[in-house]
Amino acid sequence: MQFILYIIAYPFLWCVSMLPFPVFYLLSDCIYFIVYHVIGYRKKTVRKNLADTLPHLSEQERRRIERKFFQHMCDMFLEMVKTMTISEAEMKKRFVFTNIELVQEMEKKNKSIIMMCAHYASWEWLIIIDKYINFRTFAVYKKIQNKYFDKLIRDIRSRFNSTVIEAKETVDGIRRNEINNVKGFYGFASDQSPQLHRTNYFDTFMGINVPVFTGAEMLAKKLDLSLVFVKVQKVKRGHYQATFVPLSENPKEIPNYEITSTYLRMVEAQIYEAPEFYLWTHKRWKHRDKQSDRSPRIKKALT
C-alpha cells in the first residue's frame, strides 16, 4: 500500500515541481482554500496555540494570523516539492544569505559548526548553504513511516549535496566525523517538543513553561563545536533571506542551558515580529507546566 501511494503521488509531485512560479502559487492558493476552508486541517490546534501564546492580541488579529499562516504553510509544502527540480541559480536567487562570510570565517578555525534554526519561514531551502561553504553539510531529520516517501524527503533535502542524517544517529554520526577529521556544518531545528520522559530541561517559550530540546548545545559542549543561530525572514512570496547570529565558538565555557535559552529568545523574537510564518500546526505546548513531574530527572541532569 505504501508503494502504491508513492507511485500515484510521485508523478503528480514531479509535475507540480515543474510548474512556472505564477501557476505554482496559484495552485498553492487552491490548496489553501481546501486545507483551510474545506478540511480545516489542524485548525483547532493552530487556534489554541495562537490563543495561548499571543493572548495580548484580539481574536480578530489572531484569526488574521491564522489565515496567513495556512497560506504560508501551503506555500512551504509546495516549495519543498519545488526543490525536486529547481535549479541552483534559481534557488540562490530566492534564498539569500545576508552574511555568509560569518560562517566562512568560522570555518577557518577548523571546528565543526552546529546551526540552530526554527520551523519558521523556510527551513527547507536552507540546504542551499552547501553551495557557499567548504564544510560538509548535514541536515538532521526525523524519519517518516512510509519508507518510499521517506526516501523522497531524503532525496529532496540532499538535492544540493547536503547529507541527511536521522535524529537518532546524530550523536554517533558527528562523533565518527570528528574522529575521521571530517568537518561538518550540522542543521538542528530545536524548537519543537521533546518526549517528556527524555526531558532534561524546561524553559519558557512564548511565555509558557515547556520541555526543551538541548541536544545541539550538549553535543557542541561534548565535542567542542561552534554554534550559530540562523534567522530566516520571508521577504515576499517565494523569496527569503537568512542572517547568521553567533551563539558561541567555545560552548564549554558557557553555563549549561544558557545557549539553549538564548536560542529560544531569538526564536521568540522572530515569531513576535511576524507570527504568521511560524509552524503552528504542531502541539509544541502539549507538555506545558509539567516540570514538577520531571524535577528528579532534571536535578540529576544538572549535577
Side-chain angles (χ1 to χ4, degrees):
M1 181 59 70
Q2 289 186 354
F3 181 66
I4 292 172
L5 289 173
Y6 174 75
I7 61 174
I8 292 173
Y10 183 84
F12 172 75
L13 296 175
W14 187 86
C15 289
V16 167
S17 77
M18 294 294 293
L19 292 173
F21 275 100
V23 180
F24 180 81
Y25 285 116
L26 181 62
L27 175 62
S28 182
D29 289 338
C30 295
I31 293 174
Y32 158 72
F33 181 83
I34 295 169
V35 168
Y36 183 72
H37 292 285
V38 179
I39 300 174
Y41 172 74
R42 294 200 177 184
K43 190 183 289 187
K44 289 183 179 179
T45 298
V46 172
R47 198 161 288 177
K48 185 177 187 309
N49 285 341
L50 290 173
D52 288 346
T53 59
L54 302 172
H56 59 287
L57 299 181
S58 68
E59 185 173 343
Q60 184 179 10
E61 289 173 314
R62 290 197 296 268
R63 291 296 169 86
R64 178 183 59 83
I65 291 168
E66 178 184 298
R67 290 190 293 272
K68 285 187 174 183
F69 159 70
F70 274 98
Q71 290 172 330
H72 169 69
M73 184 188 73
C74 293
D75 283 358
M76 266 288 302
F77 171 74
L78 286 188
E79 285 166 3
M80 181 177 68
V81 173
K82 188 71 173 175
T83 312
M84 294 170 68
T85 56
I86 194 171
S87 69
E88 178 183 329
E90 185 70 28
M91 179 75 92
K92 285 181 173 179
K93 184 175 76 173
R94 290 176 172 273
F95 197 98
V96 177
F97 295 99
T98 65
N99 62 342
I100 191 64
E101 64 277 2
L102 185 146
V103 175
Q104 293 167 343
E105 285 298 314
M106 293 176 73
E107 283 185 304
K108 293 177 182 178
K109 298 180 181 178
N110 205 35
K111 287 176 63 173
S112 293
I113 303 165
I114 286 179
M115 177 188 70
M116 299 182 74
C117 66
H119 290 88
Y120 185 91
S122 176
W123 59 93
E124 292 289 346
W125 280 2
L126 277 164
I127 59 174
I128 194 62
I129 194 172
D130 186 84
K131 299 302 179 179
Y132 293 93
I133 64 176
N134 295 315
F135 285 1
R136 283 187 60 186
T137 56
F138 296 85
V140 179
Y141 92 116
K142 186 176 180 180
K143 189 175 183 178
I144 60 176
Q145 288 186 335
N146 187 312
K147 65 180 181 180
Y148 302 103
F149 282 103
D150 182 72
K151 182 180 183 303
L152 177 61
I153 294 296
R154 293 173 69 95
D155 289 345
I156 289 173
R157 290 179 177 173
S158 59
R159 173 84 199 288
F160 296 104
N161 296 329
S162 292
T163 300
V164 179
I165 182 169
E166 194 177 345
K168 66 180 183 180
E169 299 172 354
T170 305
V171 176
D172 290 339
I174 296 178
R175 185 183 289 115
R176 185 165 53 250
N177 286 342
E178 290 299 300
I179 291 172
N180 294 326
N181 199 32
V182 175
K183 299 305 174 185
F185 184 87
Y186 302 93
F188 282 74
S190 302
D191 56 315
Q192 295 300 298
S193 183
Q195 294 179 353
L196 193 60
H197 70 278
R198 294 184 176 179
T199 298
N200 290 330
Y201 176 63
F202 278 70
D203 201 334
T204 57
F205 182 52
M206 300 297 291
I208 301 172
N209 192 47
V210 290
V212 175
F213 278 113
T214 60
E217 176 182 345
M218 295 309 161
L219 271 171
K221 286 176 177 287
K222 188 170 185 177
L223 300 175
D224 192 28
L225 314 180
S226 299
L227 285 150
V228 295
F229 171 71
V230 62
K231 177 183 179 181
V232 182
Q233 296 171 288
K234 189 169 187 175
V235 179
K236 61 182 180 179
R237 199 172 201 183
H239 291 265
Y240 304 87
Q241 68 176 26
T243 302
F244 293 101
V245 181
L247 287 171
S248 178
E249 292 188 54
N250 298 291
K252 291 181 180 181
E253 298 176 2
I254 299 177
N256 282 349
Y257 309 128
E258 186 174 310
I259 293 172
T260 298
S261 186
T262 299
Y263 157 77
L264 289 175
R265 304 293 78 78
M266 291 179 176
V267 176
E268 286 176 336
Q270 265 191 301
I271 296 172
Y272 285 127
E273 187 177 302
E276 60 268 30
F277 301 135
Y278 188 61
L279 186 63
W280 294 105
T281 48
H282 282 41
K283 295 181 179 180
R284 175 63 186 91
W285 294 271
K286 62 185 176 182
H287 296 310
R288 60 184 297 168
D289 301 321
K290 292 184 179 180
Q291 183 169 3
S292 59
D293 299 336
R294 310 300 304 153
S295 55
R297 181 182 175 87
I298 293 168
K299 279 185 179 180
K300 183 178 179 181
L302 289 169
T303 56

